[in-house]
Amino acid sequence: MWRGLWTLAAQAARGPRRLCTRRSSGAAAPGSGATIFALSSGQGRCGIAVIRTSGPSSGHALRILTAARDLPPARHASLRLLSDPRSGEPLDRALVLWFPGPRSFTGEDCVEFHVHGGPAVVSGVLQALGSVPGLRPAEAGEFTRRAFANGKLNLTEVEGLADLIHAETEAQRRQALRQLDGELGHLCRGWAETLTKALAHVEAYIDFGEDDNLEEGVLEQGGSTWWGRKTPISPQRLPSLSLFACLLSPTADIEVRALEVALGAHLRDARRGQRLRSGAHVVVTGPPNAGKSSLVNLLSRKPVSIVSPEPGTTRDVLETPVDLAGFPVLLSDTAGLREGVGPVEQEGVRRARERLEQADLILAMLDASDLASPSSCNFLATVVASVGAQSPSDSSQRLLLVLNKSDLLSPEGPGPRPDLPPHLLLSCLTGEGLDGLLEALRKELAAVCGDPSTGSPLLTRARHQHHLQGCLDALSHYKPSKDLALAAEALRVARGHLTRLTGGGGTEEILDIIFRDFCVGK
């Protein structure tokens, strides 16, 4: 139905559909002449629906639909009767808000119509807007693209807005909000400023060092000491030198090397930001009948897997997305690990071992009442011991050992096992120990995905890592002691990567990929 309403609105728009003029950045150019409109709230019946416009004809459209001579006060809600400009028929009594540019989301004149959310009302208002000269339906993400083109948002903030709209967990929401607030963009701009100052040092030495006998050591000393000279400076060069004096940092070489360290630290986050955005992979594994399927059902709060006392019930990898302690997780139930079974179950075991290698976090399960069995001992010696032997780092797999069926144990707990690694006791039947497991999962997932409420901004997209890695690679060629010209070029390339990360000089293809994730009306 809603697709049909949008088609009617598009057909009602007068004149041929016009594409936005593009700048070199690939963004819609402000002042392109077209005013766009769209339903910005969710589709479907609702109490209130929000329809908005952006462009130079927004005020004209508001006057036509409200039959008013004057526009309402800026940024104040006003109750108005909306009418069809063609027939004069009343459409709805709505709240309207007028946002004159540039103090609006897009930087252009904008109007919001808060109407009742019935399909007939929304359809009538959309068709009425489509009949106003100069208005056309918006494309997906076009409002945000205009905000980007008008400098209201940089590219990392646009990505943060998209992530905020799609956020499903608390951790995703916190991270998206930090990025929308510009933390990653501010960080990159600070790095770019450092490179600009260093480039000023190098170019000043290239331009003036040889002709004007600039003292040696300019790159190491910095500050005002390098202005000591053996011959007077020509008056024509004083403005340029004054500019360089303002940009110079205390120690150019030291700051560039410090930036390399900072870039390396961000690139060593082991894709934590991307895991936070798309979900960490948690695999539940163990011998048959350890309670793996019961735990998956318990954590996902729905019957994902069949639970049976018969060993080998699960023969394939079953996956379900869940919210664990506020973090997005792809939870996998796998076949019990054992040898000497039929070909079908053996294929399931092979797939389980393959999935184990891809896991970010392993939930290793054992039957607490059967720790001495050959299957339990073999699992401890192979899976648990091998993961525990990995050197601790952000990139290594993490493991939680869970002893299930604690309700079958005596009050003293499991039998003495001096070689048993740190573990958690749990009863999937009674739920005892579940709170402790969830708290342990929260800590492990914070290490795997990063804690969005603390620390430096996370890199949530492969594009971020690509440009930071390109910046770091360029800085590896910064060797002013060998060749100043090549050192200056290395700084320019490195600064270019940081500029493109926040949206400067972006190509059309990259911008299209980013903005197509938005719905129509955003």
Side-chain angles (χ1 to χ4, degrees):
M1 170 186 285
W2 289 97
R3 184 177 298 175
L5 294 180
W6 192 245
T7 301
L8 288 174
Q11 292 173 348
R14 294 183 178 178
R17 187 180 177 94
R18 297 168 55 192
L19 295 177
C20 289
T21 304
R22 304 293 182 192
R23 285 179 165 179
S24 59
S25 66
S32 58
T35 298
I36 56 175
F37 66 92
L39 174 67
S40 292
S41 55
Q43 297 181 350
R45 288 181 175 83
C46 55
I48 299 295
V50 179
I51 299 170
R52 64 176 174 175
T53 71
S54 179
S57 298
S58 292
H60 176 62
L62 178 57
R63 287 191 185 96
I64 288 181
L65 264 67
T66 59
R69 289 185 178 180
D70 299 323
L71 293 170
R75 287 169 288 278
H76 285 79
S78 303
L79 184 64
R80 294 288 188 272
L81 177 66
L82 304 184
S83 302
D84 190 321
R86 295 163 297 185
S87 63
E89 179 183 2
L91 298 173
D92 191 23
R93 192 171 294 276
L95 286 178
V96 298
L97 290 99
W98 163 240
F99 299 94
R103 295 179 59 190
S104 67
F105 172 71
T106 63
E108 304 174 330
D109 290 348
C110 292
V111 172
E112 288 186 2
F113 300 92
H114 294 230
V115 303
H116 294 96
V121 174
V122 174
S123 172
V125 176
L126 288 175
Q127 291 189 60
L129 288 172
S131 69
V132 177
L135 268 68
R136 64 165 176 82
E139 299 174 0
E142 193 169 0
F143 284 90
T144 306
R145 193 155 190 164
R146 292 191 175 198
F148 170 68
N150 286 307
K152 290 293 183 176
L153 299 172
N154 65 40
L155 204 52
T156 57
E157 292 167 346
V158 168
E159 291 169 328
L161 177 58
D163 291 344
L164 186 62
I165 292 173
H166 294 96
E168 297 181 347
T169 69
E170 283 296 304
Q172 287 176 320
R173 177 187 61 78
R174 292 192 189 102
Q175 167 59 26
L177 199 56
R178 287 185 66 183
Q179 191 162 324
L180 176 59
D181 286 343
E183 289 194 20
L184 181 58
H186 293 324
L187 181 64
C188 291
R189 281 194 292 273
W191 288 341
E193 183 179 349
T194 296
L195 294 180
T196 300
K197 292 177 180 179
L199 185 58
H201 275 278
V202 176
E203 291 188 339
Y205 196 90
I206 293 173
D207 290 342
F208 304 106
E210 185 172 330
D211 295 340
D212 295 315
N213 298 315
L214 190 67
E215 284 189 346
E216 295 183 1
V218 56
L219 297 175
E220 291 78 13
Q221 294 175 11
S224 60
T225 59
W226 72 274
W227 289 105
R229 311 181 58 80
K230 300 176 183 178
T231 59
I233 303 172
S234 60
Q236 291 80 6
R237 294 191 176 184
L238 283 175
S240 298
L241 290 172
S242 298
L243 174 60
F244 286 130
C246 294
L247 292 174
L248 288 178
S249 58
T251 49
D253 271 345
I254 293 177
E255 289 194 356
V256 171
R257 300 311 172 197
L259 176 55
E260 286 186 275
V261 174
L263 290 170
H266 276 77
L267 289 168
R268 284 193 301 271
D269 71 351
R271 295 178 52 251
R272 291 188 302 167
Q274 292 184 57
R275 291 193 194 104
L276 179 59
R277 181 169 172 260
S278 59
H281 194 177
V282 177
V283 175
V284 182
T285 186
N289 270 13
K292 300 182 296 298
S293 297
S294 298
L295 178 60
V296 169
N297 293 343
L298 190 63
L299 293 177
S300 60
R301 305 182 192 90
K302 59 183 177 182
V304 175
S305 304
I306 297 175
V307 177
S308 169
E310 178 183 347
T313 303
T314 302
R315 297 190 173 189
D316 203 349
V317 178
L318 301 177
E319 296 181 333
T320 181
V322 297
D323 178 348
L324 280 184
F327 290 90
V329 163
L330 182 63
L331 189 62
S332 297
D333 186 14
T334 60
L337 302 180
R338 63 175 176 174
E339 305 294 337
V341 293
V344 175
E345 187 176 348
Q346 194 59 43
E347 173 62 19
V349 172
R350 185 195 68 80
R351 294 186 182 187
R353 295 187 186 279
E354 184 180 72
R355 199 55 56 93
L356 269 180
E357 297 176 358
Q358 304 168 359
D360 298 313
L361 173 62
I362 297 173
L363 282 179
M365 292 201 69
L366 287 174
D367 184 342
S369 64
D370 192 30
L371 294 178
S373 67
S375 60
S376 295
C377 293
N378 181 64
F379 181 75
L380 285 170
T382 55
V383 176
V384 177
S386 62
V387 175
Q390 295 180 5
S391 60
S393 68
D394 290 337
S395 58
S396 62
Q397 286 183 318
R398 308 182 77 88
L399 182 142
L400 281 177
L401 179 59
V402 180
L403 304 186
N404 187 31
K405 305 183 182 180
S406 62
D407 53 290
L408 299 180
L409 297 176
S410 62
E412 290 77 18
R417 284 290 304 270
D419 59 335
L420 198 62
H423 56 273
L424 298 166
L425 284 176
L426 173 70
S427 172
C428 289
L429 180 64
T430 66
E432 185 179 0
L434 180 60
D435 291 340
L437 174 60
L438 290 176
E439 177 60 21
L441 281 170
R442 185 192 65 78
K443 294 179 180 178
E444 293 294 327
L445 290 172
V448 168
C449 299
D451 188 346
S453 60
T454 60
S456 300
L458 298 173
L459 309 179
T460 57
R461 298 178 185 245
R463 190 184 71 84
H464 302 164
Q465 288 193 323
H466 166 74
H467 285 302
L468 290 192
Q469 186 63 57
C471 181
L472 187 60
D473 292 343
L475 291 181
S476 67
H477 299 288
Y478 173 71
K479 299 174 181 177
S481 61
K482 293 185 177 180
D483 191 315
L484 282 176
L486 291 179
E489 182 60 24
L491 292 175
R492 289 190 197 97
V493 172
R495 189 177 59 170
H497 277 288
L498 295 177
T499 301
R500 286 191 290 276
L501 196 152
T502 56
T507 65
E508 180 78 17
E509 292 77 11
I510 293 175
L511 293 175
D512 284 342
I513 291 172
I514 292 173
F515 285 101
R516 75 185 181 191
D517 289 337
F518 286 92
C519 58
V520 174
K522 189 57 183 173

